[in-house]
mmCIF file of all heavy atoms in Angstrom:
data_model
loop_
_atom_site.group_PDB
_atom_site.id
_atom_site.type_symbol
_atom_site.label_atom_id
_atom_site.label_comp_id
_atom_site.label_asym_id
_atom_site.label_seq_id
_atom_site.Cartn_x
_atom_site.Cartn_y
_atom_site.Cartn_z
ATOM 1 N N ALA A 183 -10.605 -18.556 -2.441
ATOM 2 C CA ALA A 183 -9.522 -17.920 -3.250
ATOM 3 C C ALA A 183 -8.304 -17.659 -2.353
ATOM 4 O O ALA A 183 -7.201 -17.913 -2.796
ATOM 5 C CB ALA A 183 -10.046 -16.561 -3.768
ATOM 6 N N PHE A 184 -8.499 -17.248 -1.124
ATOM 7 C CA PHE A 184 -7.401 -17.020 -0.211
ATOM 8 C C PHE A 184 -6.650 -18.307 0.023
ATOM 9 O O PHE A 184 -5.434 -18.402 -0.091
ATOM 10 C CB PHE A 184 -7.888 -16.442 1.119
ATOM 11 C CG PHE A 184 -6.807 -16.232 2.105
ATOM 12 C CD1 PHE A 184 -5.898 -15.183 1.934
ATOM 13 C CD2 PHE A 184 -6.632 -17.069 3.192
ATOM 14 C CE1 PHE A 184 -4.843 -14.989 2.849
ATOM 15 C CE2 PHE A 184 -5.600 -16.912 4.079
ATOM 16 C CZ PHE A 184 -4.714 -15.840 3.895
ATOM 17 N N ASP A 185 -7.435 -19.355 0.339
ATOM 18 C CA ASP A 185 -6.837 -20.621 0.608
ATOM 19 C C ASP A 185 -5.995 -21.149 -0.533
ATOM 20 O O ASP A 185 -4.811 -21.577 -0.373
ATOM 21 C CB ASP A 185 -7.960 -21.609 0.931
ATOM 22 C CG ASP A 185 -7.421 -22.930 1.485
ATOM 23 O OD1 ASP A 185 -6.568 -22.867 2.401
ATOM 24 O OD2 ASP A 185 -7.849 -23.995 1.024
ATOM 25 N N SER A 186 -6.524 -21.139 -1.748
ATOM 26 C CA SER A 186 -5.771 -21.732 -2.815
ATOM 27 C C SER A 186 -4.617 -20.843 -3.227
ATOM 28 O O SER A 186 -3.643 -21.371 -3.801
ATOM 29 C CB SER A 186 -6.614 -22.099 -4.085
ATOM 30 O OG SER A 186 -7.573 -21.099 -4.257
ATOM 31 N N ALA A 187 -4.658 -19.574 -2.885
ATOM 32 C CA ALA A 187 -3.553 -18.690 -3.247
ATOM 33 C C ALA A 187 -2.356 -18.859 -2.314
ATOM 34 O O ALA A 187 -1.235 -18.687 -2.737
ATOM 35 C CB ALA A 187 -3.978 -17.213 -3.264
ATOM 36 N N ILE A 188 -2.614 -19.196 -1.057
ATOM 37 C CA ILE A 188 -1.440 -19.337 -0.156
ATOM 38 C C ILE A 188 -0.969 -20.800 -0.024
ATOM 39 O O ILE A 188 0.151 -21.044 0.462
ATOM 40 C CB ILE A 188 -1.684 -18.713 1.206
ATOM 41 C CG1 ILE A 188 -2.813 -19.456 1.938
ATOM 42 C CG2 ILE A 188 -1.945 -17.224 1.149
ATOM 43 C CD1 ILE A 188 -2.747 -19.170 3.435
ATOM 44 N N LEU A 189 -1.797 -21.736 -0.491
ATOM 45 C CA LEU A 189 -1.451 -23.129 -0.328
ATOM 46 C C LEU A 189 -0.083 -23.517 -0.975
ATOM 47 O O LEU A 189 0.719 -24.191 -0.326
ATOM 48 C CB LEU A 189 -2.561 -23.974 -0.933
ATOM 49 C CG LEU A 189 -2.610 -25.407 -0.351
ATOM 50 C CD1 LEU A 189 -2.825 -25.391 1.140
ATOM 51 C CD2 LEU A 189 -3.713 -26.259 -1.024
ATOM 52 N N PRO A 190 0.197 -23.085 -2.182
ATOM 53 C CA PRO A 190 1.511 -23.449 -2.767
ATOM 54 C C PRO A 190 2.683 -22.959 -1.905
ATOM 55 O O PRO A 190 3.687 -23.711 -1.766
ATOM 56 C CB PRO A 190 1.540 -22.739 -4.140
ATOM 57 C CG PRO A 190 0.098 -22.507 -4.456
ATOM 58 C CD PRO A 190 -0.618 -22.354 -3.148
ATOM 59 N N THR A 191 2.564 -21.783 -1.307
ATOM 60 C CA THR A 191 3.642 -21.289 -0.459
ATOM 61 C C THR A 191 3.786 -22.167 0.754
ATOM 62 O O THR A 191 4.926 -22.496 1.201
ATOM 63 C CB THR A 191 3.373 -19.833 -0.062
ATOM 64 O OG1 THR A 191 3.058 -19.037 -1.199
ATOM 65 C CG2 THR A 191 4.536 -19.233 0.671
ATOM 66 N N ILE A 192 2.658 -22.529 1.348
ATOM 67 C CA ILE A 192 2.752 -23.429 2.542
ATOM 68 C C ILE A 192 3.313 -24.766 2.158
ATOM 69 O O ILE A 192 4.199 -25.274 2.879
ATOM 70 C CB ILE A 192 1.301 -23.580 3.141
ATOM 71 C CG1 ILE A 192 0.825 -22.221 3.651
ATOM 72 C CG2 ILE A 192 1.323 -24.598 4.255
ATOM 73 C CD1 ILE A 192 -0.610 -22.234 4.150
ATOM 74 N N ASN A 193 2.872 -25.315 1.023
ATOM 75 C CA ASN A 193 3.376 -26.606 0.624
ATOM 76 C C ASN A 193 4.860 -26.571 0.316
ATOM 77 O O ASN A 193 5.587 -27.498 0.559
ATOM 78 C CB ASN A 193 2.638 -27.096 -0.597
ATOM 79 C CG ASN A 193 1.270 -27.657 -0.257
ATOM 80 O OD1 ASN A 193 1.030 -28.045 0.938
ATOM 81 N ND2 ASN A 193 0.338 -27.666 -1.167
ATOM 82 N N SER A 194 5.357 -25.453 -0.250
ATOM 83 C CA SER A 194 6.728 -25.375 -0.620
ATOM 84 C C SER A 194 7.615 -25.451 0.611
ATOM 85 O O SER A 194 8.742 -25.911 0.570
ATOM 86 C CB SER A 194 7.013 -24.141 -1.433
ATOM 87 O OG SER A 194 7.086 -22.997 -0.615
ATOM 88 N N MET A 195 7.106 -25.026 1.769
ATOM 89 C CA MET A 195 7.904 -25.078 2.982
ATOM 90 C C MET A 195 8.084 -26.530 3.408
ATOM 91 O O MET A 195 9.061 -26.845 4.091
ATOM 92 C CB MET A 195 7.205 -24.272 4.109
ATOM 93 C CG MET A 195 7.176 -22.781 3.765
ATOM 94 S SD MET A 195 7.029 -21.757 5.234
ATOM 95 C CE MET A 195 5.436 -22.268 5.825
ATOM 96 N N LEU A 196 7.089 -27.380 3.107
ATOM 97 C CA LEU A 196 7.134 -28.819 3.514
ATOM 98 C C LEU A 196 8.379 -29.489 2.972
ATOM 99 O O LEU A 196 9.002 -30.242 3.637
ATOM 100 C CB LEU A 196 5.864 -29.514 3.092
ATOM 101 C CG LEU A 196 4.635 -29.186 3.853
ATOM 102 C CD1 LEU A 196 3.415 -29.985 3.304
ATOM 103 C CD2 LEU A 196 4.816 -29.542 5.328
ATOM 104 N N GLY A 197 8.599 -29.279 1.624
ATOM 105 C CA GLY A 197 9.695 -29.960 0.930
ATOM 106 C C GLY A 197 11.048 -29.305 1.091
ATOM 107 O O GLY A 197 12.057 -29.863 0.700
ATOM 108 N N MET A 198 11.000 -28.136 1.732
ATOM 109 C CA MET A 198 12.181 -27.272 1.835
ATOM 110 C C MET A 198 13.381 -28.048 2.512
ATOM 111 O O MET A 198 13.233 -28.603 3.574
ATOM 112 C CB MET A 198 11.836 -26.071 2.644
ATOM 113 C CG MET A 198 12.732 -24.944 2.542
ATOM 114 S SD MET A 198 12.980 -24.345 0.884
ATOM 115 C CE MET A 198 11.349 -23.830 0.404
ATOM 116 N N GLY A 199 14.561 -28.054 1.877
ATOM 117 C CA GLY A 199 15.701 -28.598 2.477
ATOM 118 C C GLY A 199 15.835 -30.094 2.241
ATOM 119 O O GLY A 199 16.892 -30.688 2.379
ATOM 120 N N ILE A 200 14.740 -30.784 1.939
ATOM 121 C CA ILE A 200 14.769 -32.190 1.766
ATOM 122 C C ILE A 200 14.639 -32.526 0.296
ATOM 123 O O ILE A 200 15.507 -33.112 -0.304
ATOM 124 C CB ILE A 200 13.629 -32.906 2.582
ATOM 125 C CG1 ILE A 200 13.761 -32.615 4.028
ATOM 126 C CG2 ILE A 200 13.667 -34.397 2.296
ATOM 127 C CD1 ILE A 200 12.627 -33.113 4.892
ATOM 128 N N VAL A 201 13.520 -32.062 -0.271
ATOM 129 C CA VAL A 201 13.299 -32.379 -1.682
ATOM 130 C C VAL A 201 14.134 -31.415 -2.558
ATOM 131 O O VAL A 201 14.635 -31.795 -3.549
ATOM 132 C CB VAL A 201 11.801 -32.209 -2.033
ATOM 133 C CG1 VAL A 201 11.549 -32.632 -3.464
ATOM 134 C CG2 VAL A 201 10.995 -33.034 -1.069
ATOM 135 N N PHE A 202 14.228 -30.180 -2.138
ATOM 136 C CA PHE A 202 14.995 -29.232 -2.938
ATOM 137 C C PHE A 202 15.607 -28.147 -2.067
ATOM 138 O O PHE A 202 15.127 -27.867 -0.997
ATOM 139 C CB PHE A 202 14.143 -28.625 -4.073
ATOM 140 C CG PHE A 202 13.019 -27.814 -3.547
ATOM 141 C CD1 PHE A 202 13.161 -26.421 -3.388
ATOM 142 C CD2 PHE A 202 11.797 -28.413 -3.247
ATOM 143 C CE1 PHE A 202 12.090 -25.703 -2.918
ATOM 144 C CE2 PHE A 202 10.718 -27.640 -2.767
ATOM 145 C CZ PHE A 202 10.875 -26.295 -2.631
ATOM 146 N N LEU A 203 16.701 -27.605 -2.598
ATOM 147 C CA LEU A 203 17.316 -26.422 -1.992
ATOM 148 C C LEU A 203 16.830 -25.241 -2.776
ATOM 149 O O LEU A 203 16.952 -25.180 -3.973
ATOM 150 C CB LEU A 203 18.814 -26.506 -2.039
ATOM 151 C CG LEU A 203 19.475 -27.594 -1.180
ATOM 152 C CD1 LEU A 203 20.960 -27.573 -1.312
ATOM 153 C CD2 LEU A 203 19.064 -27.485 0.266
#
Side-chain angles (χ1 to χ4, degrees):
Chain A
F184 178 74
D185 189 48
S186 40
I188 62 161
L189 202 61
T191 308
I192 294 174
N193 282 338
S194 77
M195 295 202 296
L196 286 177
M198 197 58 61
I200 299 173
V201 185
F202 63 94
L203 292 182

